[in-house]
Amino acid sequence: MSAAALVLAACCSQPKFDGPVYLNPNAPIEDRVEDALARMTLEEKVGMTTAQSKFSSRGVPRLGIPEVWHTDGPHGIRPEVLWDDWDQAGWTNDSCTAFPALVNLAATWDKEMSYLYGVSIGEEARYRKKDILLGPGVNICRTPLNGRNFEYMGEDPYLAGQMVVPYVKGVQEQGVAACVKHFAVNNQEFQRTQSNSVVDDRTLHEIYLPAFKAAVQEGNAWAIMGSYNLYNGQFNCHNKKLLVDILKGDWGFDGVVVSDWGGCRDSEEAVLNGLDIEMGTWTNGLRGAASDSYRNYHMADPYLKGLREGKYTTKELDDKARRILRTIFRTSMRPEPNYGRFVCPEHYQAAREISAAGVVLLKNEDNVLPLDVPKDGKILVVGENAVKKMVVGGGSSNLKTAYEINPLEGLQNAFEGVAEVEWVRGYVGDTSTSYNLVDTGQDLADSRSPEVLIAEAVNAAKDADYVIFIGGLNKSAHQDNESTDRYDTMLPYDQQDVIDALAAVADKFVVVNISGSPVSMPWADRADAIVQGWYGGTESGNALADVLTGKVNPSGRLPFSIPFKYSDGPIRTIAQYPGIKEEGDQFWQTHYSEGVYVGYRWYDSRNIPAQWPFGHGLSYTSFEYGNAKASKASMTADGTMKVSVDVRNVGACDGAEVVQLYISDPVASVDRPAKELKGFEKVFLKAGEKKTVTFEIDAEALSFYDMSKSAWNAEPGEFQAHFASSSTDVRATVSFELK
Ligand code: GLC
């Protein structure tokens, strides 16, 4: 062989890895798993299945296999906490980028925004050397009162499913496992560790599982978090039907099931029913207990004892260890090391873009928006939510950030040197400013009476060109807050009194509701314009200002229905929510007796108008639909067909329309919702531009879950495809037949 060939050969061949297979980054992952497993002792395998601290679980030190670091949350990387405590450890290098709440992401209806989100937050997790990101959450907004709706992706399983997949992919491309939560039918915070969700199979498969199924089968999620509640009488962190039969059996999930913190309640069930890593079990860790009480975890010494006494074989243990090893070889020991990025300009820009893309313009009478302020004019901003920093609090999604731009600062930034932006309090809501020792640094104390505050606002409004009331909810108890639910859907803190008073004197009156869950608006006719804003994260205020000023043309659409009042909704009995606990019952029983009639499925099918319907959102331009057609008159169950519609921007400015595809099955053997979302696409159109939007329909889009067959079923007959700008704004319909 010539010298050149020798050199070439030497350069091209991989350096021969002469270490053990499990340490070879280029070896097939399953070979690495089997090699590592064969080298591990019984104690080492058991050790991996439980926590060793508040947010880490064991590796195998002897073999150089790293421990697994878990981190909250869905919106950003939680500040480092103490070894065994929720309070932050006081590090000075862990102020993260706070991304928008997931409901804000869902409101973008933009899969590219979801991927950008996943990549960005994944880079922050990787940089902080975290292996499992405890998020995203995709529990369905069954009741507007659920304290954690802000952490989830709305009321529709198809929207949540399509929006969670790109997020999961983006995170996992950074070598970080997304841990999709909380699996499953965990749709309230009231008695979340003591309530049993009673759900029929059709409802379970049509409403509460699809987003998780998409995350696993389309997003290839590497981790799933079991939820605190029970389903069918078994705790979900070790629920055989959900974890063994459906998740790992039917869906072929090959990752790890992580318990919610303290969600593991039984040793034998944990071993046999599919739990892989037990976290946060109610011990006080290294403090207070006589010895290392992590050894007392259900899958620690009790498991080892059961194995040694022959109560268990190593069958389940080897499966758990394989899944944990697979996760480690996908994350900390992944083939191509990368190092992520943290609090970089690109992440701040991503947070700002995503949040703005999800802001929803609900009403815009006489086009009072975008703001048109005369030179040296005045904008009066009223309300606590204009200044209250929102990334602190709310529970496990609590974040510490280097800065947070609130709406007032966003507007001041936008109008600096152009117009005066004055602020008055308007009302006093929640003056707390810290959580888990994370502090916003604000002082929101204000002892003035509501009368004084309203008088001040009314007086200031008199010479303002615009009055912008910015209120809504916050992250305190019984607002948008983990472990508590709201009591009703109305604005708290008597904000309506302020709105009424301002409406009487304001020239141009805009109301911005900042919340993570539906807020009813009986005062809506008194505002010229209404905007649904969200917890937008670090750049929240700039994102909102971008929309109000017209720098960004609003294109958000509601991911949930907003009712005129709570009682219009499908929850009509306390058995449905918050549930009932009868004499002798060990747990609360929450009956999902509304079945599949959740959100718009209820309002449309019962002809009860929602105040603001699912999918609703205005633009500063307008769009016309036309030329709707089906590629053929009929399709077969094993085939597909295309339906398309032309959309034209007929307004004066560029914008984006979310074309929504709803399917109706007018004649079916079971009662079905009037229409169901089965497709959507956000199209960006320049003024005057037209595009054709095409959807491909398969039998899955036509099916219901047939309890008589325990399977999905698409019944032959007529179907309708509706092209819509919201669940109640159908612009065109085509009919076709399923043979
Ligand atoms: C909390 C939450 C879960 C979070 C975990 C760790 O109780 O339910 O979402 O990831 O515990 O903080």
Side-chain angles (χ1 to χ4, degrees):
M1 187 185 288
S2 72
L6 275 172
V7 168
L8 186 64
C11 295
C12 294
S13 64
Q14 292 277 11
K16 184 161 174 4
F17 188 91
D18 59 5
V21 169
Y22 77 93
L23 288 177
N24 179 355
N26 304 310
I29 189 165
E30 294 310 314
D31 293 357
R32 300 179 72 187
V33 168
E34 294 309 317
D35 182 51
L37 189 73
R39 297 168 187 267
M40 288 167 67
T41 66
L42 190 79
E43 291 76 4
E44 287 167 339
K45 293 177 188 175
V46 170
M48 296 183 105
T49 69
T50 59
Q52 62 173 15
S53 76
K54 196 54 116 185
F55 281 100
S56 69
S57 51
R58 282 180 202 79
V60 188
R62 177 179 64 85
L63 296 176
I65 294 175
E67 52 208 18
V68 179
W69 281 92
H70 310 241
T71 182
D72 287 316
H75 308 152
I77 310 308
R78 186 171 183 166
E80 203 67 23
V81 300
L82 295 169
W83 185 254
D84 185 62
D85 203 325
W86 296 110
D87 285 343
Q88 68 147 336
W91 287 20
T92 55
N93 62 341
D94 57 351
S95 292
C96 70
T97 303
F99 296 95
L102 285 198
V103 70
N104 186 170
L105 171 61
T108 69
W109 291 61
D110 187 335
K111 297 165 197 170
E112 290 178 22
M113 286 287 128
S114 179
Y115 179 69
L116 171 64
Y117 195 124
V119 168
S120 305
I121 194 172
E123 288 183 330
E124 299 239 337
R126 176 48 46 221
Y127 187 84
R128 292 270 286 105
K129 299 182 175 56
K130 305 299 182 182
D131 307 307
I132 298 183
L133 175 68
L134 302 171
V138 288
N139 294 96
I140 293 299
C141 176
R142 170 180 181 249
T143 166
L145 307 184
N146 180 8
R148 293 187 86 171
N149 283 327
F150 75 100
E151 286 187 67
Y152 303 146
M153 293 189 173
E155 72 186 30
D156 180 82
Y158 182 82
L159 174 65
Q162 292 302 303
M163 292 300 287
V164 74
V165 168
Y167 179 115
V168 169
K169 287 181 173 176
V171 168
Q172 297 186 164
E173 284 171 8
Q174 313 316 313
V176 176
C179 183
V180 185
K181 66 188 186 181
H182 305 82
F183 192 64
V185 284
N186 175 219
N187 305 94
Q188 65 189 56
E189 289 300 289
F190 177 83
Q191 292 294 346
R192 63 179 178 166
T193 64
Q194 299 294 332
S195 72
N196 177 42
S197 299
V198 184
V199 198
D200 68 65
D201 272 0
R202 180 182 173 203
T203 304
L204 178 76
H205 285 278
E206 287 191 22
I207 303 297
Y208 298 103
L209 291 185
F212 289 100
K213 185 176 182 182
V216 168
Q217 295 197 325
E218 297 171 48
N220 186 31
W222 292 341
I224 289 282
M225 183 187 290
S227 59
Y228 281 127
N229 58 299
L230 301 91
Y231 158 65
N232 273 6
Q234 203 166 54
F235 281 106
N236 283 349
C237 289
H238 29 79
N239 187 300
K240 183 180 179 305
K241 178 176 176 182
L242 289 179
L243 300 180
V244 178
D245 302 345
I246 294 176
L247 177 67
K248 295 180 175 181
D250 299 346
W251 297 354
F253 175 66
D254 71 354
V256 282
V257 173
V258 180
S259 74
D260 200 340
W261 266 236
C264 179
R265 311 284 285 271
D266 179 276
S267 193
E268 184 172 333
E269 284 192 11
V271 169
L272 301 176
N273 291 353
L275 180 63
D276 297 306
I277 304 181
E278 177 187 355
M279 299 299 290
T281 297
W282 299 132
T283 65
N284 55 6
L286 298 175
R287 294 187 321 169
S291 64
D292 172 356
S293 53
Y294 285 101
R295 299 311 324 153
N296 301 331
Y297 271 40
H298 296 292
M299 289 208 296
D301 288 354
Y303 190 11
L304 210 47
K305 183 169 179 288
L307 285 160
R308 287 180 177 141
E309 290 171 354
K311 179 178 181 180
Y312 310 114
T313 70
T314 60
K315 170 174 168 281
E316 292 84 11
L317 178 62
D318 287 344
D319 181 56
K320 297 176 202 294
R322 283 193 175 95
R323 291 171 182 272
I324 297 167
L325 287 167
R326 190 172 296 131
T327 306
I328 293 170
F329 294 141
R330 284 170 165 165
T331 58
S332 54
M333 292 179 80
R334 67 200 176 283
E336 302 80 25
N338 60 310
Y339 306 98
R341 286 187 295 177
F342 197 59
V343 293
C344 55
E346 294 83 356
H347 290 174
Y348 290 136
Q349 181 57 25
R352 181 169 179 164
E353 276 177 31
I354 294 163
S355 184
V359 172
V360 183
L361 180 59
L362 296 176
K363 173 185 180 185
N364 191 17
E365 218 156 79
D366 305 330
N367 294 321
V368 291
L369 288 177
L371 295 170
D372 179 13
V373 186
K375 183 85 177 85
D376 301 328
K378 171 182 165 184
I379 295 174
L380 176 70
V381 178
V382 183
E384 183 174 282
N385 278 9
V387 298
K388 184 173 175 62
K389 295 187 181 241
M390 296 285 195
V391 298
V392 169
S396 58
S397 60
N398 171 57
L399 295 174
K400 172 168 77 170
T401 58
Y403 70 93
E404 177 185 352
I405 303 290
N406 62 36
L408 177 63
E409 290 160 340
L411 286 165
Q412 288 169 334
N413 292 343
F415 286 96
E416 190 172 1
V418 173
E420 180 195 357
V421 180
E422 181 188 349
W423 173 75
V424 291
R425 185 64 172 265
Y427 69 94
V428 177
D430 171 60
T431 58
S432 67
T433 58
S434 70
Y435 184 89
N436 278 161
L437 300 186
V438 178
D439 196 310
T440 62
Q442 292 186 293
D443 176 2
L444 295 176
D446 191 326
S447 58
R448 290 177 293 166
S449 69
E451 293 72 22
V452 166
L453 290 165
I454 290 175
E456 178 193 44
V458 167
N459 187 44
K462 290 195 173 100
D463 64 343
D465 297 287
Y466 276 88
V467 176
I468 306 176
F469 177 84
I470 303 182
L473 308 180
N474 54 48
K475 299 288 192 70
S476 59
H478 300 293
Q479 299 295 315
D480 286 315
N481 182 62
E482 180 182 338
S483 81
T484 62
D485 291 336
R486 281 190 293 158
Y487 294 119
D488 66 41
T489 58
M490 296 301 170
L491 279 176
Y493 314 123
D494 296 326
Q495 292 175 69
Q496 179 155 344
D497 296 344
V498 190
I499 291 171
D500 291 345
L502 290 171
V505 298
D507 179 17
K508 293 177 180 174
F509 186 36
V510 179
V511 173
V512 178
N513 175 66
I514 292 182
S515 69
S517 45
V519 169
S520 300
M521 304 177 180
W523 38 264
D525 57 352
R526 267 152 276 164
D528 298 313
I530 304 174
V531 172
Q532 170 62 41
W534 311 100
Y535 305 122
T538 296
E539 287 286 330
S540 193
N542 284 333
L544 180 63
D546 287 346
V547 171
L548 295 178
T549 61
K551 183 178 174 190
V552 169
N553 186 352
S555 63
R557 299 289 183 273
L558 288 177
F560 46 52
S561 310
I562 298 179
F564 282 103
K565 55 187 186 304
Y566 176 68
S567 57
D568 287 348
I571 312 282
R572 316 235 112 175
T573 64
I574 59 166
Q576 287 174 274
Y577 176 85
I580 48 180
K581 187 167 188 280
E582 282 162 339
E583 197 58 41
D585 266 355
Q586 187 181 2
F587 304 111
W588 291 78
Q589 306 297 323
T590 304
H591 293 269
Y592 287 46
S593 50
E594 73 283 353
V596 298
Y597 296 96
V598 174
Y600 70 91
R601 287 173 165 82
W602 165 265
Y603 294 108
D604 286 0
S605 306
R606 297 295 185 279
N607 293 315
I608 298 172
Q611 178 166 24
W612 306 108
F614 173 79
H616 172 69
L618 301 177
S619 170
Y620 293 145
T621 184
S622 49
F623 303 94
E624 279 179 4
Y625 289 48
N627 190 25
K629 56 189 176 197
S631 59
K632 44 193 179 184
S634 66
M635 63 178 273
T636 55
D638 59 355
T640 64
M641 67 179 290
K642 287 184 169 50
V643 292
S644 63
V645 70
D646 292 349
V647 185
R648 182 188 297 277
N649 177 345
V650 295
C653 65
D654 301 351
E657 168 69 336
V658 178
V659 180
Q660 301 160 41
L661 173 72
Y662 294 88
I663 297 290
S664 296
D665 180 3
V667 179
S669 62
V670 294
D671 194 81
R672 294 192 69 176
K675 62 172 103 63
E676 297 178 272
L677 183 73
K678 297 294 179 184
F680 64 88
E681 184 173 329
K682 190 169 218 177
V683 281
F684 296 83
L685 296 165
K686 295 192 176 313
E689 188 181 8
K690 178 188 80 172
K691 281 181 184 171
T692 301
V693 178
T694 303
F695 297 100
E696 187 155 27
I697 291 173
D698 59 11
E700 186 179 340
L702 311 179
S703 302
F704 66 92
Y705 188 83
D706 189 338
M707 300 233 283
S708 68
K709 299 181 163 65
S710 293
W712 289 90
N713 183 12
E715 290 176 330
E718 184 203 352
F719 285 86
Q720 291 162 343
H722 308 287
F723 300 98
S725 192
S726 84
S727 60
T728 58
D729 182 2
V730 173
R731 302 293 184 85
T733 296
V734 292
S735 298
F736 59 94
E737 190 184 0
L738 173 65
K739 293 286 190 195

